[in-house]
């Protein structure tokens, strides 16, 4: 059984998409063992509880980045999401993780980002896309490396930018695709169908 830990800070809609995928049996041989948020008020914690998943608030309170990452690694490990064994999903997690933590979960930590990376890394990616005037936007699931939003790309999905789009409209169109893409990436990982060569992720049939 693949034990998954999900790190969140906000709404939790991607978390919920993964949970539903597991519940309906689309993702087999995996379960979400724990959901951890740096923000005790995050709606994602309520989403976890609603699905019967352990929800943990782990505030950073002035901790250094390293000290906070050590707390995270401890909480994950205690809940069965051990380095080299479990899978960590960043799902709207708004804290930057240090290299030491990234190394611990090397090749076993994913993130979802609402742009077609490497375009528009960082915050408000959808607004960045609109301001740039691109005609195609989208989302990316990638393995996490120390550099933000820069790791090997697992899956991408494009969506059109339509005349008259504002940040909300474009974000909603992208989010609908995120909810399909993240569960699919987890499913491929759980089935052992992802192989990384350098920065290229290959999908085994
Ligand atoms: C999503 O747009 C995701 O791509 C980005 O943060 C947002 C999280 O939304 N990393 P939610 O908390 O999953 O609803």
């Amino acid at each position: 059984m693949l034990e998954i830990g999900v790190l969140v800070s906000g709404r939790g809609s991607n978390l919920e998409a993964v949970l539903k995928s597991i519940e309906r049996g689309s993702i087999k041989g995996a379960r979400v063992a724990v959901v951890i948020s740096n923000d005790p008020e995050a709606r994602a914690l309520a989403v976890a509880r609603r699905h019967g998943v352990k929800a943990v608030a782990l505030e950073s309170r002035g901790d250094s980045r390293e000290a906070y990452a050590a707390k995270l690694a401890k909480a994950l490990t205690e809940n069965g999401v051990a380095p080299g064994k479990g899978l960590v999903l960043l799902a709207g997690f708004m804290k930057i993780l240090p290299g030491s933590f990234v190394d611990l979960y090397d090749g076993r930590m994913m993130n979802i980002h609402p742009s077609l990376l490497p375009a528009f890394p960082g915050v408000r990616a959808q607004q960045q896309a609109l301001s740039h005037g691109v005609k195609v936007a989208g989302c990316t699931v990638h393995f996490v490396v120390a550099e933000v939003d820069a790791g090997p790309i697992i899956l991408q999905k494009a969506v059109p930018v339509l005349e008259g789009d504002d940040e909300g409209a474009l974000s909603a169109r992208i989010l609908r695709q995120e909810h399909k893409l993240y569960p699919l990436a987890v499913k491929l990982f759980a089935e052992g169908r992802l192989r990384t060569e350098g920065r290229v992720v290959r999908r085994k049939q």
Side-chain angles (χ1 to χ4, degrees):
M1 178 68 66
L2 175 68
E3 304 284 334
I4 301 174
V6 187
L7 307 187
V8 294
S9 299
R11 183 174 53 185
S13 70
N14 279 289
L15 162 68
E16 188 151 43
V18 170
L19 288 170
K20 283 184 172 167
S21 231
I22 292 172
E23 285 162 8
R24 90 169 79 86
S26 311
I27 301 172
K28 293 190 186 67
R31 65 172 207 123
V32 176
V34 66
V35 172
I36 303 174
S37 174
N38 60 305
D39 177 358
E41 303 295 319
R43 275 174 45 195
L45 290 175
V47 170
R49 290 190 196 105
R50 203 162 63 228
H51 287 264
V53 171
K54 182 168 178 187
V56 175
L58 201 60
E59 289 180 85
S60 69
R61 317 191 167 214
D63 286 338
S64 69
R65 203 174 269 180
E66 292 288 343
Y68 185 64
K71 281 186 358 190
L72 273 180
K74 185 164 177 280
L76 285 165
T77 305
E78 281 172 1
N79 284 285
V81 188
K85 209 164 145 269
L87 174 67
V88 177
L89 301 180
L90 307 185
F93 186 61
M94 296 308 286
K95 287 204 144 303
I96 294 174
L97 295 161
S100 56
F101 186 89
V102 172
D103 288 349
L104 218 47
Y105 289 95
D106 184 34
R108 308 190 73 88
M109 176 157 55
M110 296 179 182
N111 180 43
I112 185 152
H113 184 75
S115 80
L116 294 175
L117 291 170
F120 314 125
V123 295
R124 295 187 69 191
Q126 305 94 331
Q127 182 56 50
Q128 291 186 55
L130 283 174
S131 303
H132 198 90
V134 295
K135 306 305 178 207
V136 178
C139 48
T140 303
V141 179
H142 63 91
F143 283 117
V144 174
V145 296
E147 193 185 335
V148 173
D149 299 330
I153 290 168
I154 302 167
L155 294 171
Q156 291 186 302
K157 180 73 184 180
V159 308
V161 178
L162 302 179
E163 208 58 52
D165 266 355
D166 59 11
E167 189 179 7
L170 180 58
S171 298
R173 192 174 308 120
I174 294 172
L175 193 63
R176 280 196 291 279
Q177 299 306 321
E178 294 185 39
H179 294 164
K180 297 180 190 162
L181 211 63
Y182 217 178
L184 176 57
V186 174
K187 176 183 165 75
L188 292 171
F189 185 93
E191 292 174 355
R193 287 165 64 194
L194 298 176
R195 196 180 63 238
T196 307
E197 293 170 10
R199 64 156 298 118
V200 177
V201 180
R202 304 213 181 272
R203 180 170 161 174
K204 294 186 254 173
Q205 286 316 309

